Amino acid sequence: GRTEAWLDGRTESADGTICDPVDPDHPWLSGLAGGIGGIVRTLGAAGVVAWTSSGDTARLVSRARLPVPLVMLTDDIRTVRMMRMLAGVVPVLLERDPGIGDPFIETADRTMRTLGLVEGGEPIVFLHGSGRRRARPTDVLGVFEAGSGSVTT
């Protein structure tokens, strides 16, 4: 089944394509995931929010054992189910991918505040892929203030 394939390190995208896992030891991705903990502590961030289609980003970042909630947004119910097994992850199902840039920040901000995880003015760390439609991996990291829409990348 799908869960077994995911546990075996493979993921299935929304269109049914079986994908090989992201290499957790890839220096770029593991560095990004590992660095989030330091950023959260330095800034006193209230949470981390990210987009994932397959769950790979959630698996990598959850390994950092963050001291704050890791909210993972997706539009695939199967990915939500898989992420429920990951420590510290709060999976959230959206009707559709909000895209990148301002639409993503607005959706992330609204979701974090609706869940009661952050209050206005608190810093939130975010990450997502800059080219999701091209299967590009997570490569954007930034910070915004809850309720302000003010972004620093």
Side-chain angles (χ1 to χ4, degrees):
R2 291 183 175 107
T3 302
E4 290 78 15
W6 186 77
L7 289 173
D8 189 35
R10 295 175 24 193
T11 56
E12 183 177 354
S13 64
D15 68 0
T17 304
I18 301 294
C19 306
D20 289 327
V22 171
D23 179 3
D25 296 319
H26 185 289
W28 173 20
L29 297 175
S30 62
L32 189 64
I36 290 173
I39 293 168
V40 164
R41 288 175 188 84
T42 299
L43 298 177
V48 175
V49 62
W51 175 264
T52 186
S53 296
S54 65
D56 286 341
T57 301
R59 284 191 297 142
L60 285 171
V61 178
S62 71
R63 290 173 37 172
R65 304 289 186 209
L66 300 172
V68 297
L70 170 58
V71 175
M72 296 301 303
L73 308 175
T74 187
D75 60 357
D76 189 329
I77 188 65
R78 294 171 296 182
T79 301
V80 167
R81 290 178 183 136
M82 291 181 258
M83 290 189 296
R84 288 184 181 152
M85 296 183 284
L86 300 173
V89 173
V90 179
V92 175
L93 180 65
L94 300 178
E95 285 186 32
R96 66 184 187 291
D97 180 346
I100 60 176
D102 289 342
F104 174 81
I105 298 303
E106 291 164 8
T107 300
D109 182 33
R110 183 176 52 254
T111 301
M112 297 286 283
R113 290 187 292 124
T114 299
L115 291 172
L117 298 174
V118 299
E119 296 179 8
E122 291 184 298
I124 300 171
V125 177
F126 71 90
L127 60 152
H128 62 72
S130 63
R132 289 202 279 267
R133 299 288 182 243
R134 295 185 310 268
R136 189 159 173 176
T138 300
D139 61 354
V140 176
L141 171 67
V143 178
F144 66 93
E145 288 184 11
S148 74
S150 174
V151 178
T152 303
T153 56

